[in-house]
Amino acid sequence: MLTSKQRAYLRGLANGIDTILYIGKGEITENIIQQADDALTARELIKGKTLENSQYSPRESAELVAEKTSAEVVQVIGSKFVLYRKNPDEPVITLPKAKNK
């Protein structure tokens, strides 16, 4: 689970990356899930877009892809969304530490 500080940090990083995952009309197929999974393994942070002709809302598509790839939804703004999943073998992104209560 991401803290608000970590989420804000990831949102800042996401500003500079290109959209690589597009959800169009039809179902979210295994091919789309595999593409997202491979990208998350390599990059840890990806940006996706839900096209207007999709049967899913941007929030629905982000949550569905995140659930199937064990990722976390960082943000959904308009038609775009950002997903994050830490690579346990070769981490690329170092998150700010969470405060202990």
Side-chain angles (χ1 to χ4, degrees):
M1 188 74 183
L2 295 171
T3 66
S4 60
K5 187 175 184 178
Q6 292 169 335
R7 200 173 296 278
Y9 176 74
L10 291 172
R11 281 196 307 266
L13 291 178
N15 283 335
I17 65 174
D18 293 327
T19 304
I20 60 167
L21 187 67
Y22 292 91
I23 309 295
K25 64 181 179 180
E27 294 290 318
I28 295 179
T29 62
E30 282 301 314
N31 197 14
I32 292 172
I33 300 300
Q34 186 61 49
Q35 179 186 359
D37 191 55
D38 293 345
L40 283 164
T41 300
R43 304 175 183 208
E44 293 185 333
L45 189 69
I46 64 170
K47 191 184 289 185
K49 180 175 184 175
T50 304
L51 304 177
E52 288 182 19
N53 62 356
S54 176
Q55 65 186 21
Y56 299 100
S57 73
R59 171 66 63 184
E60 289 171 333
S61 56
E63 289 178 356
L64 187 61
V65 173
E67 179 185 324
K68 293 192 181 244
T69 58
S70 301
E72 292 197 53
V73 178
V74 175
Q75 82 178 78
V76 178
I77 293 184
S79 63
K80 294 191 176 182
F81 57 89
V82 178
L83 301 177
Y84 170 77
R85 183 182 72 200
K86 183 176 182 175
N87 182 338
D89 300 327
E90 300 173 25
V92 177
I93 298 171
T94 305
L95 293 176
K97 298 281 185 225
K99 289 184 179 177
N100 293 334
K101 292 185 176 181

